[in-house]
Amino acid sequence: MGMFRLRGGTSLSDREFREIVKESSEPRARYSMTAGQAYSRFFEGLKNGVILGTVCDSCGMVFIPPKIYCPYCFRSVSRWVESSGEGKVFTAVASYISADVKPLDKPEIVAVIKLDVPGYRFDNYRFPGIMHRICNASDEDVKTQRIFDARVRARWLPKEKRTGSINDIECFEVV
Amino acid sequence: MRFNLRVKNRVAVIGAGLTLFRRRLLETPQEMVWIAASRALEQAGLDFRDIDCVISGSAPDAFDGVHLKGEYYSEGAGVVGKPHIRVYVGGGTGVFVPVAAWWYVASGLCRRALVVAEEKMSSAAEPHPQAVFRHIWDPLVEKPLNPNLIWIFALEMHRYMHKCRVSKEDIALVSIKNKRNALDHPSAQAAADITVDDVLNSPMLVYPVNRLDISPVSDGAAALVMVSEEWARRYTDNPIWVAGIGFTLDTTSWTNRELSFPVYVRNAAEMAYRMAGIDNPVKSIDVVEPYDPFDYKELHHLEGLGLAPRCGAAKLTREGVTARDGDLPTCPSGGLLGVGNPIAAAGLMKVAEIFWQLRGEAGARQVKNDPVTGLAQAWGDLMQAGTVIILRR
Ligand SMILES: [Zn+2]
């Protein structure tokens, strides 16, 4: 293939890579995101210690976090509903690394929580579920799968510390 | 779902090419595309000048650090003066590129298309290429929890293990098989002869995911030449036909669904099977490249494709059915776990493998069952995009 010896490409070791890097940049983009109609009210709810959702009367699905439309029925949702703040662990893991792959001192337990909404029942095909931390469980609880289906309840930050964020829920605790 | 699946024009694959897949390559994205494209054209017996359309795919621009990546690398595919289309569905992109190429050629708009996929993940050097994935989460309700990408896979894998009573040992067998298959692949980055203990004793990242359950970070490019029937007949005596395509999407709300079964794959597979006239995939598919960025994903996806009973893929793996000389050779290339995972290029590498297998040109990797029909599949984004292509000789 001409004057360059291309083969299938030229592999570099980590050291070679560092030696030949010609350009290094650190793009700094700060994003400021609006929360929209549904999430704005959801975050207001969190500030007040309530997990809000919206319901589609056509299929009976509850959306937590809320949506203004039902993505399955292609129509507007019908009304607001409240979760009891309790639910069941649908799946859980123990993270030993941070977001940028640094080791953590203590594993973080993370779960998908299937939330209770009084007056509504859901199968496991589709349900109102969110990802969050579990604060009073160990990695052993995860490895033994004891934690599956455990009942959990939202633990809230003190009211004065809440900012209208998903982190106003400090974590979910096994009850 | 109702589609017009009675498309008149047949589309053939007549050449494929790859770069090496490596953790770091010297070559720029443009040069990698040039290498893969040149190799595919060489196999097909065409020149860049013979190509009338370029269809490409690549994962987030943030990896290469060039925020018009498609327009940047495509000059390496000889794009000047030609229509160029870049498609994207996260990890599903690599199989989506030939799907997109199919619709351009089947429609008659393009007759001789160059199909390329590229990824240069090493450019996102600090702190780690994985940090790019911090920006795929819901920015308002998930990102503030400071998640690592592996969380979502670990959550899905553990749900699958729990629901299907599958052990980590069973899942490790996939990693072992694929890394071993890759020993015969000339582009492979992560080929190895390892044991279950090696997988279980590799660093624990997010339980149940250990380091060796995961494919590596890679640089690499892949290319195909796809042409209309008329041109296929002129260039080759053994064209490989596109028999079916499928691509569907679900929402990003991945925490609201049963994670143990990939509906996103099933929907795309049903579309592709219907188009290919396949009622019984187990009988019809001779060789398969399901998407395996994580070892459990191969099991999960075989079930989504209907090639294993629900919760039954681990048993097939244990019994050797999915081995290269088994009844359903699965990832004979070595997959992402063995060959490497330059995201979009890895998916297209799978399609290239099916092409070579159906032509009988896979060398030491050649499966033993004289395959007539093969399938490649990828998945993308937050458990939502499925892409499937079925090839037939
Ligand atoms: Zn609905």
PDB file of all heavy atoms in Angstrom, chain B residues 79-96:
ATOM      1  N   VAL B  79     -14.226   9.279   0.461  1.00  0.00           N
ATOM      2  CA  VAL B  79     -15.583   9.793   0.453  1.00  0.00           C
ATOM      3  C   VAL B  79     -15.780  10.988  -0.488  1.00  0.00           C
ATOM      4  O   VAL B  79     -16.903  11.313  -0.851  1.00  0.00           O
ATOM      5  CB  VAL B  79     -15.999  10.182   1.895  1.00  0.00           C
ATOM      6  CG1 VAL B  79     -15.369  11.510   2.296  1.00  0.00           C
ATOM      7  CG2 VAL B  79     -17.507  10.207   2.052  1.00  0.00           C
ATOM      8  N   VAL B  80     -14.684  11.612  -0.919  1.00  0.00           N
ATOM      9  CA  VAL B  80     -14.803  12.915  -1.586  1.00  0.00           C
ATOM     10  C   VAL B  80     -15.752  12.868  -2.791  1.00  0.00           C
ATOM     11  O   VAL B  80     -15.599  12.033  -3.671  1.00  0.00           O
ATOM     12  CB  VAL B  80     -13.411  13.432  -2.019  1.00  0.00           C
ATOM     13  CG1 VAL B  80     -13.534  14.724  -2.832  1.00  0.00           C
ATOM     14  CG2 VAL B  80     -12.539  13.656  -0.792  1.00  0.00           C
ATOM     15  N   GLY B  81     -16.730  13.734  -2.774  1.00  0.00           N
ATOM     16  CA  GLY B  81     -17.694  13.830  -3.870  1.00  0.00           C
ATOM     17  C   GLY B  81     -18.785  12.787  -3.831  1.00  0.00           C
ATOM     18  O   GLY B  81     -19.606  12.697  -4.746  1.00  0.00           O
ATOM     19  N   LYS B  82     -18.831  11.993  -2.762  1.00  0.00           N
ATOM     20  CA  LYS B  82     -19.835  10.920  -2.696  1.00  0.00           C
ATOM     21  C   LYS B  82     -20.763  11.121  -1.502  1.00  0.00           C
ATOM     22  O   LYS B  82     -20.370  11.728  -0.510  1.00  0.00           O
ATOM     23  CB  LYS B  82     -19.125   9.561  -2.535  1.00  0.00           C
ATOM     24  CG  LYS B  82     -18.221   9.217  -3.701  1.00  0.00           C
ATOM     25  CD  LYS B  82     -17.365   8.006  -3.393  1.00  0.00           C
ATOM     26  CE  LYS B  82     -16.345   7.809  -4.511  1.00  0.00           C
ATOM     27  NZ  LYS B  82     -15.378   6.766  -4.200  1.00  0.00           N
ATOM     28  N   PRO B  83     -21.963  10.549  -1.594  1.00  0.00           N
ATOM     29  CA  PRO B  83     -22.838  10.585  -0.415  1.00  0.00           C
ATOM     30  C   PRO B  83     -22.203   9.804   0.736  1.00  0.00           C
ATOM     31  O   PRO B  83     -21.661   8.720   0.514  1.00  0.00           O
ATOM     32  CB  PRO B  83     -24.115   9.886  -0.882  1.00  0.00           C
ATOM     33  CG  PRO B  83     -24.046   9.841  -2.360  1.00  0.00           C
ATOM     34  CD  PRO B  83     -22.592   9.868  -2.726  1.00  0.00           C
ATOM     35  N   HIS B  84     -22.261  10.385   1.915  1.00  0.00           N
ATOM     36  CA  HIS B  84     -21.770   9.697   3.115  1.00  0.00           C
ATOM     37  C   HIS B  84     -22.857   9.762   4.173  1.00  0.00           C
ATOM     38  O   HIS B  84     -23.448  10.808   4.420  1.00  0.00           O
ATOM     39  CB  HIS B  84     -20.496  10.362   3.639  1.00  0.00           C
ATOM     40  CG  HIS B  84     -20.106   9.895   5.020  1.00  0.00           C
ATOM     41  ND1 HIS B  84     -20.075  10.733   6.103  1.00  0.00           N
ATOM     42  CD2 HIS B  84     -19.762   8.666   5.483  1.00  0.00           C
ATOM     43  CE1 HIS B  84     -19.710  10.031   7.185  1.00  0.00           C
ATOM     44  NE2 HIS B  84     -19.524   8.789   6.833  1.00  0.00           N
ATOM     45  N   ILE B  85     -23.126   8.627   4.807  1.00  0.00           N
ATOM     46  CA  ILE B  85     -24.135   8.557   5.863  1.00  0.00           C
ATOM     47  C   ILE B  85     -23.498   7.923   7.081  1.00  0.00           C
ATOM     48  O   ILE B  85     -22.905   6.849   6.980  1.00  0.00           O
ATOM     49  CB  ILE B  85     -25.354   7.685   5.450  1.00  0.00           C
ATOM     50  CG1 ILE B  85     -25.926   8.123   4.108  1.00  0.00           C
ATOM     51  CG2 ILE B  85     -26.426   7.720   6.539  1.00  0.00           C
ATOM     52  CD1 ILE B  85     -25.428   7.348   2.908  1.00  0.00           C
ATOM     53  N   ARG B  86     -23.590   8.596   8.231  1.00  0.00           N
ATOM     54  CA  ARG B  86     -23.100   8.000   9.475  1.00  0.00           C
ATOM     55  C   ARG B  86     -24.298   7.678  10.361  1.00  0.00           C
ATOM     56  O   ARG B  86     -25.162   8.527  10.571  1.00  0.00           O
ATOM     57  CB  ARG B  86     -22.170   8.957  10.211  1.00  0.00           C
ATOM     58  CG  ARG B  86     -21.729   8.435  11.587  1.00  0.00           C
ATOM     59  CD  ARG B  86     -20.901   9.466  12.331  1.00  0.00           C
ATOM     60  NE  ARG B  86     -20.634   9.036  13.700  1.00  0.00           N
ATOM     61  CZ  ARG B  86     -20.132   9.839  14.635  1.00  0.00           C
ATOM     62  NH1 ARG B  86     -19.854  11.098  14.349  1.00  0.00           N
ATOM     63  NH2 ARG B  86     -19.908   9.385  15.855  1.00  0.00           N
ATOM     64  N   VAL B  87     -24.337   6.452  10.870  1.00  0.00           N
ATOM     65  CA  VAL B  87     -25.444   6.051  11.745  1.00  0.00           C
ATOM     66  C   VAL B  87     -24.899   5.732  13.129  1.00  0.00           C
ATOM     67  O   VAL B  87     -23.716   5.442  13.292  1.00  0.00           O
ATOM     68  CB  VAL B  87     -26.207   4.833  11.179  1.00  0.00           C
ATOM     69  CG1 VAL B  87     -26.919   5.212   9.898  1.00  0.00           C
ATOM     70  CG2 VAL B  87     -25.291   3.640  10.965  1.00  0.00           C
ATOM     71  N   TYR B  88     -25.788   5.760  14.117  1.00  0.00           N
ATOM     72  CA  TYR B  88     -25.352   5.563  15.497  1.00  0.00           C
ATOM     73  C   TYR B  88     -26.462   4.990  16.368  1.00  0.00           C
ATOM     74  O   TYR B  88     -27.561   5.550  16.419  1.00  0.00           O
ATOM     75  CB  TYR B  88     -24.898   6.918  16.086  1.00  0.00           C
ATOM     76  CG  TYR B  88     -24.532   6.818  17.533  1.00  0.00           C
ATOM     77  CD1 TYR B  88     -23.347   6.197  17.915  1.00  0.00           C
ATOM     78  CD2 TYR B  88     -25.373   7.299  18.527  1.00  0.00           C
ATOM     79  CE1 TYR B  88     -23.009   6.071  19.250  1.00  0.00           C
ATOM     80  CE2 TYR B  88     -25.042   7.176  19.872  1.00  0.00           C
ATOM     81  CZ  TYR B  88     -23.862   6.569  20.230  1.00  0.00           C
ATOM     82  OH  TYR B  88     -23.529   6.436  21.537  1.00  0.00           O
ATOM     83  N   VAL B  89     -26.210   3.878  17.010  1.00  0.00           N
ATOM     84  CA  VAL B  89     -27.040   3.398  18.123  1.00  0.00           C
ATOM     85  C   VAL B  89     -26.117   2.769  19.171  1.00  0.00           C
ATOM     86  O   VAL B  89     -26.191   1.579  19.448  1.00  0.00           O
ATOM     87  CB  VAL B  89     -28.128   2.371  17.722  1.00  0.00           C
ATOM     88  CG1 VAL B  89     -29.400   3.046  17.254  1.00  0.00           C
ATOM     89  CG2 VAL B  89     -27.628   1.383  16.681  1.00  0.00           C
ATOM     90  N   GLY B  90     -25.232   3.573  19.732  1.00  0.00           N
ATOM     91  CA  GLY B  90     -24.332   3.106  20.784  1.00  0.00           C
ATOM     92  C   GLY B  90     -23.571   1.862  20.345  1.00  0.00           C
ATOM     93  O   GLY B  90     -23.053   1.780  19.234  1.00  0.00           O
ATOM     94  N   GLY B  91     -23.529   0.873  21.239  1.00  0.00           N
ATOM     95  CA  GLY B  91     -22.826  -0.372  20.931  1.00  0.00           C
ATOM     96  C   GLY B  91     -23.456  -1.134  19.787  1.00  0.00           C
ATOM     97  O   GLY B  91     -22.819  -1.997  19.177  1.00  0.00           O
ATOM     98  N   GLY B  92     -24.712  -0.825  19.471  1.00  0.00           N
ATOM     99  CA  GLY B  92     -25.377  -1.499  18.359  1.00  0.00           C
ATOM    100  C   GLY B  92     -24.935  -0.988  17.004  1.00  0.00           C
ATOM    101  O   GLY B  92     -25.322  -1.537  15.961  1.00  0.00           O
ATOM    102  N   THR B  93     -24.106   0.048  16.999  1.00  0.00           N
ATOM    103  CA  THR B  93     -23.739   0.729  15.754  1.00  0.00           C
ATOM    104  C   THR B  93     -23.073  -0.200  14.740  1.00  0.00           C
ATOM    105  O   THR B  93     -23.385  -0.151  13.554  1.00  0.00           O
ATOM    106  CB  THR B  93     -22.800   1.912  16.070  1.00  0.00           C
ATOM    107  OG1 THR B  93     -23.470   2.797  16.970  1.00  0.00           O
ATOM    108  CG2 THR B  93     -22.423   2.671  14.813  1.00  0.00           C
ATOM    109  N   GLY B  94     -22.157  -1.045  15.191  1.00  0.00           N
ATOM    110  CA  GLY B  94     -21.369  -1.857  14.259  1.00  0.00           C
ATOM    111  C   GLY B  94     -22.218  -2.740  13.367  1.00  0.00           C
ATOM    112  O   GLY B  94     -21.901  -2.944  12.194  1.00  0.00           O
ATOM    113  N   VAL B  95     -23.323  -3.277  13.910  1.00  0.00           N
ATOM    114  CA  VAL B  95     -24.224  -4.087  13.083  1.00  0.00           C
ATOM    115  C   VAL B  95     -25.237  -3.188  12.363  1.00  0.00           C
ATOM    116  O   VAL B  95     -25.780  -3.543  11.327  1.00  0.00           O
ATOM    117  CB  VAL B  95     -24.910  -5.184  13.931  1.00  0.00           C
ATOM    118  CG1 VAL B  95     -25.979  -5.922  13.141  1.00  0.00           C
ATOM    119  CG2 VAL B  95     -23.864  -6.179  14.452  1.00  0.00           C
ATOM    120  N   PHE B  96     -25.440  -1.998  12.898  1.00  0.00           N
ATOM    121  CA  PHE B  96     -26.375  -1.065  12.264  1.00  0.00           C
ATOM    122  C   PHE B  96     -25.799  -0.503  10.956  1.00  0.00           C
ATOM    123  O   PHE B  96     -26.558  -0.176  10.045  1.00  0.00           O
ATOM    124  CB  PHE B  96     -26.673   0.075  13.240  1.00  0.00           C
ATOM    125  CG  PHE B  96     -27.908   0.874  12.913  1.00  0.00           C
ATOM    126  CD1 PHE B  96     -29.021   0.299  12.329  1.00  0.00           C
ATOM    127  CD2 PHE B  96     -27.958   2.224  13.227  1.00  0.00           C
ATOM    128  CE1 PHE B  96     -30.157   1.040  12.056  1.00  0.00           C
ATOM    129  CE2 PHE B  96     -29.100   2.974  12.959  1.00  0.00           C
ATOM    130  CZ  PHE B  96     -30.191   2.380  12.367  1.00  0.00           C
TER     131      PHE B  96
END
